[in-house]
């Protein structure tokens, strides 16, 4: 079991109106950590293109414990805490730490690998499964297709006429 860490310096454009790390920045930091991890372990864009597959996040959730501010260094960890036996489903676990070890936030990202031509889920090459197995947590869950069906939200299409019938008003936020 290994843990991967990626370092960030919080920049001005990473902040929100409360002058701490914005929710959208947490999402971006996790995505960048995953791509840096994949590139370092020979599963970057070049390899993904050659294999014709890509990772797709289906569900993400976050818990926040301590604010992170501009100019601070942040380390984002990556571990695999869920995996299908064939590797087709995965869950990344990310934790946000300050250099002194303070744990600021945790995120889980649940996803699947897709065939880029067919746009359907697929099993990744053994190279990916081997690397991801190295980064499993001590209590990695085993996922099946039933776990995808159990995600908390389902698609609910609506009649597009609802958009035509509404009288849209522009809200002026300036006094």
């Amino acid at each position: 079991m290994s843990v991967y860490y990626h370092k960030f310096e919080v920049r001005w454009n990473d902040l929100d109106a409360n002058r701490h790390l914005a929710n959208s920045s947490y999402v971006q930091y996790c995505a960048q950590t995953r791509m840096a991890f994949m590139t370092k372990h020979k599963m970057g864009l070049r390899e993904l293109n050659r294999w014709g597959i890509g990772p797709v996040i289906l569900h993400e959730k976050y818990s926040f414990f301590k604010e992170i501010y501009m100019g601070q260094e942040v380390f984002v960890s990556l571990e695999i805490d869920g995996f299908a036996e064939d590797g087709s489903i995965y869950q990344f676990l990310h934790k946000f730490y300050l250099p002194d070890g303070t744990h600021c936030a945790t995120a889980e990202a649940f996803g699947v690998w897709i065939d880029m031509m067919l746009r359907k889920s697929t099993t990744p090459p053994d190279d990916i499964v081997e690397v991801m197995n190295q980064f499993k947590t001590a209590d990695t869950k085993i996922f099946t297709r039933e776990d995808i069906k159990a995600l908390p939200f389902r698609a609910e299409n609506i009649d597009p006429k609802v958009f035509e019938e509404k009288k849209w008003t522009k809200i002026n936020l300036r006094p």
Side-chain angles (χ1 to χ4, degrees), residues 123-142:
T123 301
D126 290 341
D127 295 2
I128 288 178
V129 175
E130 286 176 29
V131 169
M132 294 185 82
N133 277 326
Q134 294 172 21
F135 288 86
K136 285 183 177 180
T137 63
D139 22 314
T140 298
K141 301 169 217 65
I142 302 297

Side-chain angles (χ1 to χ4, degrees), residues 74-99:
V74 179
F75 294 88
V76 180
S77 69
L78 179 149
E79 296 175 273
I80 309 300
D81 75 338
F83 209 55
E85 288 180 355
D86 66 359
S88 61
I89 306 169
Y90 55 81
Q91 183 164 277
F92 290 104
L93 176 67
H94 296 288
K95 295 180 181 176
F96 288 69
Y97 296 101
L98 297 178

Side-chain angles (χ1 to χ4, degrees), residues 63-78:
S63 291
F64 304 99
F65 315 122
K66 182 165 179 34
E67 293 177 293
I68 300 172
Y69 299 105
M70 187 175 93
Q72 288 185 300
E73 283 185 342
V74 179
F75 294 88
V76 180
S77 69
L78 179 149

Side-chain angles (χ1 to χ4, degrees), residues 21-32 34 57 59-65 76 92 94-96 104-110:
L21 193 63
N23 291 30
S24 59
S25 294
Y26 283 91
V27 174
Q28 292 171 9
Y29 282 21
C30 287
Q32 181 59 36
R34 288 191 296 273
I57 299 298
H59 183 72
E60 273 183 283
K61 61 184 178 182
Y62 293 80
S63 291
F64 304 99
F65 315 122
V76 180
F92 290 104
H94 296 288
K95 295 180 181 176
F96 288 69
C104 299
T106 295
E108 289 179 339
F110 180 91

